[in-house]
């Protein structure tokens, strides 16, 4: 797997986007970030990154936390969970039934209490974040759950 | 044919000759379905929070006595498709499999190598105990199985992990004296989990265990060489043949004489047996007596062989 440490200028650009869209002020501050192809960002600890340098050929490091493309910044389930407490905007709270639906990959309806600006949201059930979704033209939110992670729909 | 399971002739002979084994109870246990069990992943939740969520949704949980975060779960066959599972709050894992990672006794800040890690039951458990301190190298030789390993580590939120796709037999040469803890959960003939897959009983031949034991010896020797002096290695299999268990330990003790030392295994809440000390007229190294065997009829689940080894400072002291 391709792995490049994200340099300072790119990291700053992503941080700005995170602040603009999600109101995030502290963006994976305690982690080393790597770009692993297709705009995918992986996070790990400093000690792990150092060990990976020493081991040389490794398949992957840390967990996939976010995707940064020209069209926007989105978070994986784990990425949004690590950012617990620092995501200030565009969060939608779901009921259990909605959260299950979200995890099947099906869209969920926005409710009047959801205050959304722009295209991207992060969903939450109880205290657990469920990753990013994209607003559709139909006013529904489409979750970005990878296939392997989906609950099979009945 | 015994109770529906087809055993190869060779296997029946082996099982009936294994010293210390209750043959009838063993055959009976193979016919009993394994219980379903989960480990609550404290990287993401707490036991009380997760139990509450699962109970609200119709599950009942019973604590497994020998492991910190393990629970039997009822009803069966439903947990894999719950929100709790998909979010990584729980991991489905056999009760005795959980014990193996407990025996490794991972401490905060440890550098851990899991040499045969896929699909990641024990790696995710080790990650849980490290609480994202130190680092975990999760290795496997199989590209296909690495995919499951990677998904499971992601789902459980293990941040301090490095996944490698290598033949485990090269670690010792390439990275000597590097890790505080090494787990060698070796590929094996799986005679401890026949109740999960009856075809194992039909297919087993003596030469499978012979071939496995050579691979296992290569893996444990490599894992041992990658261990720091003073560090701990756990070697485990889910099989019963002495060639894949006690013999491998005996051979390691011979190959790394003076450096490899067995440690006592202290566990509570589960019945277990002494290892086999003599096979085909040969006596194993006396240290081998510190290993343990857990038969399926003792655990009510999988059968396992577990050993715990340390590397002494012998070569390092002037
Ligand atoms: C018993 S399974 C490991 C189970 C795993 N520790 C867990 O708890 O999920 C044995 C693994 O060893 C791997 N294996 C076989 N030969 C190997 C080798 N030479 N080097 C590294 N891994 C190997 C297999 O691909 C298999 O995934």
């Amino acid at each position: 797997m391709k792995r490049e440490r994200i340099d300072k200028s790119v990291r700053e650009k992503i941080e700005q986007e995170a602040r603009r869209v999600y109101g995030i002020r502290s963006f994976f501050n305690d982690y080393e970030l790597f770009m692993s192809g297709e705009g995918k960002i992986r996070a790990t600890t400093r000690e792990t990154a150092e060990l990976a340098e020493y081991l040389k050929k490794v398949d992957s490091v840390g967990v996939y936390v976010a995707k940064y493309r020209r069209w926007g910044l989105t978070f994986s389930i784990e990425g949004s969970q690590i950012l617990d407490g620092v995501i200030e905007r565009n969060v939608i709270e779901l009921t259990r039934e909605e959260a299950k639906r979200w995890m099947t990959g099906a869209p969920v309806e926005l409710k009047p209490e959801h205050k959304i600006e722009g295209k991207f949201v992060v969903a939450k059930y109880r205290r657990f974040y469920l990753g990013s979704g994209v607003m559709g033209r139909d006013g529904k939110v489409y979750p970005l759950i990878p296939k392997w992670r989906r609950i099979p729909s009945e | 044919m015994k109770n529906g399971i087809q055993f190869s002739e060779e296997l029946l002979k082996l099982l009936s000759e294994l010293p210390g084994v209750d043959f009838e109870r063993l055959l009976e246990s193979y016919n009993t379905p394994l219980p379903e069990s989960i480990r609550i992943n404290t990287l993401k939740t707490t036991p009380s929070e997760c139990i509450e969520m699962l109970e609200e949704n119709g599950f009942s949980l019973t604590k497994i006595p020998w492991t910190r975060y393990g629970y039997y779960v009822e009803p069966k066959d439903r947990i894999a498709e719950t929100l709790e599972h998909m979010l990584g709050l729980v991991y489905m894992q056999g009760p005795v499999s959980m014990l193996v990672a407990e025996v490794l006794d991972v401490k905060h800040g440890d550098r851990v190598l899991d040499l045969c890690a896929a699909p990641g039951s024990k790696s995710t458990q080790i990650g849980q105990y490290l609480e994202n301190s130190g680092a975990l190298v999760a290795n496997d030789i199989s590209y296909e199985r690495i995919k499951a390993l990677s998904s499971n580590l992601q789902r459980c939120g293990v941040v301090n992990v490095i996944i490698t796709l290598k033949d485990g037999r090269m670690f010792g040469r390439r990275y000597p004296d590097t890790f505080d803890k090494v787990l060698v959960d070796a590929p094996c003939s799986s005679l401890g989990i026949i109740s999960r897959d009856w075809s194992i009983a039909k297919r087993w031949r003596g030469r499978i265990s012979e071939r496995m034991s050579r691979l296992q010896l290569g893996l444990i020797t490599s894992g041992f060489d990658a261990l720091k002096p003073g560090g701990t290695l756990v070697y485990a299999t889910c099989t019963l043949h002495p060639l894949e268990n006690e013999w491998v330990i005996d051979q390691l003790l011979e190959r790394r004489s003076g450096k490899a030392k067995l440690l006592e295994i202290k566990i509570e809440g589960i019945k277990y047996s002494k290892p086999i000390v003599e096979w085909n007229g040969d006596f194993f190294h006396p240290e081998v007596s510190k290993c343990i065997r857990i038969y399926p009829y003792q655990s009510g689940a999988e059968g396992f062989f577990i050993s715990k080894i340390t590397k002494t400072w012998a070569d390092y002291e002037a």
Side-chain angles (χ1 to χ4, degrees):
Chain A
M1 196 184 281
K2 195 170 148 259
R3 178 170 50 94
E4 274 169 34
R5 206 176 282 248
I6 293 182
D7 67 38
K8 221 170 142 213
S9 66
V10 178
R11 186 161 178 149
E12 276 169 11
K13 251 174 49 194
I14 304 173
E15 280 173 4
Q16 274 172 18
E17 185 70 2
R19 186 168 313 175
R20 192 180 67 76
V21 179
Y22 303 97
I24 293 169
R25 286 174 190 283
S26 140
F27 185 78
F28 299 107
N29 280 359
D30 301 332
Y31 296 90
E32 301 278 313
L33 298 182
F34 294 90
M35 204 54 110
S36 73
E38 297 171 359
K40 280 190 172 179
I41 301 169
R42 298 185 75 88
T44 194
T45 62
R46 175 155 314 148
E47 183 171 351
T48 311
E50 280 167 10
L51 183 59
E53 288 289 306
Y54 168 72
L55 299 180
K56 295 211 171 70
K57 270 181 77 180
V58 308
D59 198 62
S60 73
V61 173
V63 293
Y64 161 47
V65 290
K67 195 169 205 172
Y68 181 56
R69 312 245 70 183
R70 233 176 308 132
W71 45 263
L73 174 70
T74 55
F75 296 110
S76 70
I77 296 175
E78 280 64 40
S80 60
Q81 288 176 352
I82 293 173
L83 293 170
D84 187 7
V86 299
I87 308 178
E88 294 190 349
R89 270 204 296 281
N90 288 341
V91 176
I92 58 169
E93 307 247 355
L94 306 181
T95 62
R96 184 169 179 98
E97 278 320 303
E98 288 166 334
K100 272 166 80 177
R101 198 172 150 70
W102 177 275
M103 291 300 291
T104 65
V108 299
E109 303 273 353
L110 266 193
K111 285 178 258 175
E113 66 266 29
H114 292 147
K115 298 209 170 32
I116 303 303
E117 294 164 32
K119 256 187 359 199
F120 298 109
V121 306
V122 171
K124 194 177 180 188
Y125 163 63
R126 293 177 67 132
R127 64 178 187 84
F128 304 104
Y129 285 90
L130 311 174
S132 286
V134 192
M135 289 291 303
R137 283 179 205 278
D138 54 5
K140 292 181 183 167
V141 186
Y142 288 77
L144 300 171
I145 306 290
K147 285 215 177 69
W148 67 265
R149 194 77 183 264
R150 290 186 192 166
I151 298 178
S153 43
E154 279 129 35
Chain B
M1 192 89 86
K2 290 260 170 194
N3 314 321
I5 309 179
Q6 265 187 302
F7 288 86
S8 69
E9 282 295 310
E10 270 186 85
L11 182 55
L12 277 184
K13 183 167 180 296
L14 170 79
L15 297 179
S16 63
E17 285 173 358
L18 281 180
V21 173
D22 188 329
F23 181 60
E24 289 304 323
R25 282 180 77 200
L26 184 63
L27 294 192
E28 196 183 305
S29 71
Y30 284 157
N31 233 329
T32 317
L34 292 176
E36 195 159 285
S37 51
I38 56 165
R39 173 169 43 80
I40 294 179
N41 177 19
T42 50
L43 286 178
K44 292 199 170 190
T45 183
T46 61
S48 57
E49 177 183 48
C50 188
I51 291 169
E52 184 191 305
M53 286 169 79
L54 288 170
E55 286 181 346
E56 269 174 22
N57 288 286
F59 289 97
S60 82
L61 280 77
T62 313
K63 182 87 179 51
I64 300 170
W66 54 82
T67 176
R68 274 173 276 177
Y69 302 107
Y71 295 81
Y72 298 109
V73 61
E74 295 270 357
K76 278 183 163 190
D77 303 325
R78 272 189 42 206
I79 203 88
E81 290 180 1
T82 58
L83 207 48
E84 287 73 14
H85 181 258
M86 286 302 185
L87 289 179
L89 312 188
V90 301
Y91 187 99
M92 293 173 71
Q93 184 177 1
V96 190
S97 161
M98 293 185 218
L99 179 64
V100 173
E102 295 282 357
V103 171
L104 191 61
D105 196 19
V106 169
K107 297 274 190 285
H108 262 210
D110 275 348
R111 264 188 188 181
V112 186
L113 169 63
D114 187 354
L115 201 62
C116 307
S121 304
K122 298 176 195 80
S123 270
T124 51
Q125 190 179 356
I126 291 166
Q128 171 174 354
Y129 295 162
L130 286 174
E131 295 183 312
N132 286 325
S133 70
L136 165 66
V137 176
N139 176 73
D140 205 277
I141 199 170
S142 156
Y143 177 74
E144 273 311 309
R145 290 172 65 93
I146 283 266
K147 288 187 209 159
L149 173 67
S150 170
S151 307
N152 284 328
L153 287 161
Q154 170 80 29
R155 188 168 56 84
C156 292
V158 182
V159 174
N160 57 339
V161 70
I162 300 168
I163 298 179
T164 58
L165 175 62
K166 296 178 199 283
D167 188 328
R169 288 171 290 188
M170 52 66 64
F171 267 82
R173 239 174 303 127
R174 214 44 97 72
Y175 313 114
D177 301 338
T178 303
F179 297 93
D180 300 291
K181 303 277 156 67
V182 174
L183 175 62
V184 183
D185 185 29
C188 67
S189 59
S190 304
L191 299 179
I193 52 168
I194 287 179
S195 50
R196 192 180 291 165
D197 176 3
W198 288 3
S199 71
I200 297 168
K202 195 172 162 192
R203 285 195 318 257
W204 186 85
R205 297 287 178 277
R207 58 174 188 279
I208 296 181
S209 289
E210 281 163 26
R211 186 164 37 83
M212 281 291 175
S213 70
R214 286 191 292 274
L215 171 60
Q216 289 154 343
L217 181 57
L219 287 166
I220 195 176
T221 308
S222 168
F224 183 81
D225 291 346
L227 189 67
K228 285 180 188 170
T232 311
L233 178 148
V234 166
Y235 173 84
T237 71
C238 58
T239 201
L240 310 178
H241 200 300
L243 264 188
E244 299 183 59
N245 295 323
E246 289 85 352
W247 181 83
V248 175
I249 304 302
D250 174 82
Q251 290 299 300
L252 177 78
L253 288 169
E254 195 176 311
R255 281 186 174 188
R256 295 295 178 263
S257 166
K259 267 185 168 184
K261 217 174 141 256
L262 268 282
L263 296 172
E264 297 284 352
I265 296 174
K266 296 187 191 86
I267 47 174
E268 279 171 21
I270 187 169
K271 287 206 175 103
Y272 54 91
S273 294
K274 293 195 172 109
I276 291 170
V277 292
E278 181 211 341
W279 187 246
N280 281 348
D282 289 332
F283 282 89
F284 296 127
H285 191 294
E287 283 267 291
V288 170
S289 62
K290 292 179 181 154
C291 306
I292 66 167
R293 282 179 164 251
I294 300 170
Y295 293 107
Y297 54 81
Q298 292 173 315
S299 67
E302 321 98 291
F304 260 93
F305 170 87
I306 312 177
S307 58
K308 191 170 177 179
I309 300 156
T310 186
K311 187 188 265 186
T312 66
W313 291 86
D315 273 11
Y316 305 84
E317 285 159 358

